[in-house]
Amino acid sequence: MNTHRGPVTGAGKGRLDRRYSNRTAMSLPAVLIRSLADEHPDIIQNVSTLGFKLRSEYGVTVGRFLSLDIPGLTAYSRWVAWSYLDQFGLDVANAIPEPVIEYIITMALQASEGFYPEVERRNFDI
């Protein structure tokens, strides 16, 4: 697995000022739950200790509070950090432990057997 560093929150506006975090690309189905308890399918596209990048047809706005239900894990309740078209990021209040990230990666690999031959750990701009 390749590991890369990516950019840090709140440092400024240039490329060097983005958030630095190890990220793992994947395609793992999950469910978004709004405060009204309605559910929307989504795909986890990458995960790091700082949060998730998701893709969903459900439009979200920055600052919206959502829960992310990952099958086999507890729901993560988070704020939308950024949003662009059908992709958005959820920040986490407390860092996601590495063992949990490894479990999510394993679930993504199992879910994608035969469709995505490789899940690769690397940096993605968020």
Side-chain angles (χ1 to χ4, degrees):
M1 228 180 270
N2 295 328
T3 301
H4 300 277
R5 300 291 293 173
V8 167
T9 301
K13 298 182 182 186
R15 168 117 176 102
L16 295 176
D17 297 331
R18 294 186 191 163
R19 211 162 67 182
Y20 280 95
S21 179
N22 296 325
R23 304 205 169 274
T24 300
M26 66 182 62
S27 182
L28 179 64
V31 176
L32 284 178
I33 304 169
R34 290 186 346 161
S35 58
L36 300 174
D38 55 333
E39 298 181 353
H40 303 273
D42 72 337
I43 301 292
I44 299 172
Q45 292 188 307
N46 75 43
V47 63
S48 77
T49 57
L50 300 176
F52 301 91
K53 178 181 177 186
L54 304 164
R55 188 180 78 227
S56 177
E57 292 183 15
Y58 171 68
V60 300
T61 56
V62 173
R64 179 157 205 146
F65 188 78
L66 299 170
S67 292
L68 175 64
D69 186 17
I70 303 170
L73 291 176
T74 188
Y76 286 89
S77 296
R78 304 293 182 244
W79 299 99
V80 175
W82 62 269
S83 178
Y84 182 74
L85 300 175
D86 65 345
Q87 299 178 353
F88 59 97
L90 293 181
D91 277 340
V92 295
N94 299 309
I96 301 170
E98 279 294 327
V100 173
I101 291 174
E102 294 302 323
Y103 182 73
I104 293 169
I105 293 167
T106 300
M107 290 181 0
L109 286 169
Q110 291 171 348
S112 65
E113 277 185 12
F115 297 104
Y116 303 94
E118 179 177 325
V119 172
E120 181 179 355
R121 184 134 186 159
R122 51 185 277 216
N123 173 65
F124 288 89
D125 290 339
I126 60 167

